[in-house]
Amino acid sequence: MNTTATPEPILEPDLPIIDPHHHLWDLRPLMAAFPEPRHPFIESLVDAAYYTFDQFHADATSGHRIIASVFVECGAFYNAALGEALKPVGEVEFVNGVAAQGASGIYGAFRPCAGIVGHADLSLGAAAGAVLDALAAASPRFRGIRHQGARLADGEAYPPALMAPEGLFASSAFRTGFAELGKRGLTFDVWVFEPQLGEVIDLARAFPDQPICLDHCGGPLGLGSYRGTHKERFEGWRAAIRRLAECPNVVVKLGGLGMAQVQLPDRGPAAGVGSQELAELWRPYIETCIEAFGPSRAMFESNYPPDRWGASYPALWNAFKRIASGASVDEKAALFSGTAARFYRIADVLA
């Protein structure tokens, strides 16, 4: 990663921000399992293979006023002793410890992991309910789950080993498990790629009372057979985003555009890419999402450390602030903190 670039001045340094999407992990064993030459997406994570409290705290306190954050599952620190179904409980237990570390106050006012999004395999059907209950028992900060459905026909764009099963969201077992979320008032984060947005629309329509968050602007792509096709694919992506926004139970996270598979920018590690260039690259996608969902159903996210491939933490938030420069005070409050606080039920951090 280029760490020699001159740091940018922080724009609007007093604007309160809740970062509603970041990870904590140790990917070094995973890296060892992938023989070189590694897939481009895996290679993009090498510089951030170890990312826990110290690394995230350094980023979150690097200039912008990050007041709190939401951790989102990433398959890290599972407890194998609990068995296959319950091992994700270990991740929530670990992250709850990080949250307690931050809440001690000795690191400042920042409250990391004020909300926790864990993982449960919803394809377990009704049995997923017991996993959800165990996750809730592991932390009072637990708010919901993500069961990622990212899948592509093109293995050059994303590692086949990490792809979700085909037809996951439409399966009867998954939908039976999905219904367990609503019984407990839990949220659902969904990560897919742009060709799969129709699957999310079908799921949101089938469960109109279930709060759903679409991660990463719906997953635009720029690797493999998608390389160089952003302009050709943009209208199809935008039409799908607008259809999804018709579902009032769905909100969207504005970010994830700095990952290697998106290719915005098309080079990395790219900590030297400035916020002005990032804003120009990301504006069409982010403005489309805000226009479709409205500020009260949209939230800026760092998606760190995957987005570290394309943007330093300060430049990333500067880019978002540039894109939102024409928004009103109330609209900015929603985009940078309010929507996240409401969706993940952490409004106390705004007090």
Side-chain angles (χ1 to χ4, degrees):
M1 171 171 285
N2 175 10
T3 58
T4 61
T6 302
E8 296 185 15
I10 301 297
L11 303 178
E12 299 182 74
D14 295 327
L15 179 65
I17 296 171
I18 295 174
D19 183 348
H21 195 112
H22 70 89
H23 308 296
L24 301 170
W25 59 30
D26 184 354
L27 296 183
R28 291 172 296 184
L30 175 65
M31 296 301 177
F34 280 86
E36 296 186 18
R38 301 183 184 96
H39 188 281
F41 176 73
I42 298 298
E43 189 64 30
S44 74
L45 300 176
V46 169
D47 283 343
Y50 185 75
Y51 195 81
T52 56
F53 175 80
D54 289 346
Q55 291 75 28
F56 180 56
H57 183 267
D59 284 327
T61 58
S62 58
H64 294 281
R65 189 185 171 195
I66 313 296
I67 60 173
S69 75
V70 176
F71 168 89
V72 177
E73 66 85 27
C74 51
F77 307 112
Y78 280 5
N79 186 346
L82 297 178
E84 188 64 25
L86 288 171
K87 66 182 183 182
V89 172
E91 182 175 55
V92 171
E93 291 174 334
F94 171 81
V95 176
N96 190 59
V98 172
Q101 185 178 2
S104 69
I106 65 173
Y107 301 94
F110 171 50
R111 294 293 177 264
C113 312
I116 299 175
V117 176
H119 173 71
D121 182 0
L122 297 185
S123 64
L124 293 170
V131 181
L132 297 174
D133 291 340
L135 291 166
S139 172
R141 300 173 175 92
F142 174 68
R143 295 294 181 265
I145 71 149
R146 181 172 73 167
H147 189 147
Q148 70 95 357
R151 182 177 182 82
L152 292 170
D154 185 349
E156 293 183 19
Y158 193 66
L162 302 183
M163 291 186 191
E166 186 173 359
L168 174 67
F169 294 161
S171 72
S172 60
F174 178 90
R175 293 198 170 194
T176 298
F178 193 83
E180 296 295 319
L181 293 170
K183 296 175 184 178
R184 294 162 175 81
L186 298 173
T187 61
F188 181 72
D189 269 66
V190 57
W191 176 29
V192 296
F193 295 123
E194 54 175 295
Q196 300 175 275
L197 285 170
E199 300 174 30
V200 182
I201 294 169
D202 289 343
L203 185 65
R205 289 174 175 172
F207 294 86
D209 296 323
Q210 172 60 48
I212 296 173
C213 182
L214 176 70
D215 294 345
H216 313 332
C217 293
L221 290 161
L223 272 184
S225 61
Y226 300 92
R227 187 180 294 277
T229 66
H230 286 112
K231 290 183 179 179
E232 299 133 68
R233 300 185 61 82
F234 184 80
E235 287 303 324
W237 167 86
R238 178 159 59 183
I241 287 293
R242 287 173 173 172
R243 289 199 305 274
L244 182 58
E246 293 172 359
C247 301
N249 55 320
V250 181
V251 303
V252 64
K253 282 178 180 169
L254 310 170
L257 300 174
M259 289 188 285
Q261 71 264 30
V262 185
Q263 292 289 287
L264 294 173
D266 61 0
R267 59 196 182 279
V273 177
S275 64
Q276 185 68 55
E277 180 179 347
L278 293 171
E280 292 171 3
L281 291 170
W282 298 346
R283 187 183 301 276
Y285 293 95
I286 289 176
E287 287 189 342
T288 293
C289 288
I290 294 174
E291 289 168 3
F293 285 87
S296 66
R297 293 168 57 205
M299 60 185 100
F300 286 113
E301 56 159 336
S302 76
N303 188 38
Y304 244 58
D307 274 38
R308 182 179 175 186
W309 186 87
S312 71
Y313 201 84
L316 178 146
W317 287 103
N318 269 356
F320 293 158
K321 289 174 178 179
R322 290 183 187 277
I323 294 169
S325 62
S328 69
V329 171
D330 288 344
E331 289 170 338
K332 287 182 181 180
L335 292 166
F336 286 94
S337 60
T339 301
R342 185 181 68 255
F343 187 80
Y344 290 114
R345 305 189 308 280
I346 54 172
D348 58 301
V349 302
L350 297 175

